[in-house]
Amino acid sequence: KEVEAITDVGLLDQRATETGLQDALKKQERWRAVHFACHGLVDPERPMLSALALTADVENDGFLTALEIFRMKIPADLVVMSACETGKGKVYKTEGIVGLTRAFMFAGAPRVICSLWKVHDEATQALMLKFYELWNPKQGAGIPAAAALQQAQAFVRSQDKWKHPYYWAAWVLWGLP
C-alpha cells in the first residue's frame, strides 16, 4: 500500500528483485527518490552483509546487501529505506558508521532516510505518506526533505495511538537537508 501510494514506478511482488531494481534505475537519468518498503536485516559485526530483503529471482538471492549497493550507481536525490534498523551499522574509528546508509550515499544518493530501530508498520506507512505529500506533492513544489520528515513525525506524534517516540522517532535523515 505504501509503495502504491507514493510512486509512479513501483516494483511489487515478483518484480521487486535486485534485477528489477537495476533495470528500473536505468530508465531515467536521475530519480527524485528511490523508496524501499521491505525488511531490513542488519549484521552488526559484518555491516557489508546488512541487507534489504527483496524477492529472489534466477540471478539474485533477494538480499540487496550493503556490499552490492556500494557497487551500484543509484542516481537519486533521496533514498528512503522504510524498513527496520536500516540506519544501524558498525562504527570504525577511521570511517564512521558503515552500513546500508553509507552504501547508498556512496552509490550516488546525497540524502538517505533510514530507521534506528524496529518500526511499527502502520505508523511507518502514515509517516511515509505524509512525508511524500509534503516533500514531493502531486502538484506544486514541496518543502525540503528535513522539514518534510520533521512535519511527518509531528503528524504521527499527533495521533493518540502513536504519541510514544517508538512510533515516530526512529526516522533520521542523513546527508543533505
Side-chain angles (χ1 to χ4, degrees), residues 38 83 85 89 91 102 120 132 145 155:
C38 57
E85 302 179 313
V91 177
R102 167 79 62 94
H120 184 269
Y132 280 98
F155 168 76

Side-chain angles (χ1 to χ4, degrees), residues 11 17-28 31 59:
L11 303 177
T17 64
E18 294 170 72
T19 305
L21 171 64
Q22 291 172 348
D23 291 344
L25 288 172
K26 295 174 188 170
K27 291 182 179 178
Q28 286 186 203
W31 292 87
E59 296 178 34

Side-chain angles (χ1 to χ4, degrees), residues 45-63:
E45 292 307 312
R46 298 170 299 173
M48 297 302 274
L49 297 181
S50 294
L52 296 174
L54 304 179
T55 302
D57 63 14
V58 295
E59 296 178 34
N60 294 288
D61 61 5
F63 296 101

Side-chain angles (χ1 to χ4, degrees), residues 1-144:
K1 290 179 182 178
E2 183 178 318
V3 171
E4 290 172 336
I6 62 173
T7 185
D8 296 329
V9 179
L11 303 177
L12 302 170
D13 302 320
Q14 295 305 310
R15 293 182 44 227
T17 64
E18 294 170 72
T19 305
L21 171 64
Q22 291 172 348
D23 291 344
L25 288 172
K26 295 174 188 170
K27 291 182 179 178
Q28 286 186 203
E29 189 173 316
R30 185 138 191 101
W31 292 87
R32 178 94 165 117
V34 174
H35 183 95
F36 295 90
C38 57
H39 292 288
L41 307 163
V42 176
D43 187 328
E45 292 307 312
R46 298 170 299 173
M48 297 302 274
L49 297 181
S50 294
L52 296 174
L54 304 179
T55 302
D57 63 14
V58 295
E59 296 178 34
N60 294 288
D61 61 5
F63 296 101
L64 182 61
T65 67
L67 182 60
E68 291 170 322
I69 296 164
F70 267 108
R71 295 176 178 158
M72 296 174 72
K73 290 206 184 308
I74 302 179
D77 296 335
L78 171 71
V79 167
V80 177
M81 292 183 282
S82 183
C84 295
E85 302 179 313
T86 52
K88 289 186 171 184
K90 186 170 183 172
V91 177
Y92 291 93
K93 289 182 182 178
T94 58
E95 294 294 321
I97 297 174
V98 174
L100 293 167
T101 301
R102 167 79 62 94
F104 278 113
M105 295 181 87
F106 188 84
R111 60 186 66 78
V112 176
I113 291 178
C114 55
S115 66
L116 299 176
W117 55 76
K118 292 186 184 299
V119 295
H120 184 269
D121 286 342
E122 188 181 354
T124 294
Q125 181 178 338
L127 184 138
M128 293 300 166
L129 294 179
K130 180 56 84 173
F131 169 79
Y132 280 98
E133 175 186 312
L134 297 165
W135 179 71
N136 195 29
K138 299 288 183 199
Q139 295 184 6
I143 63 176

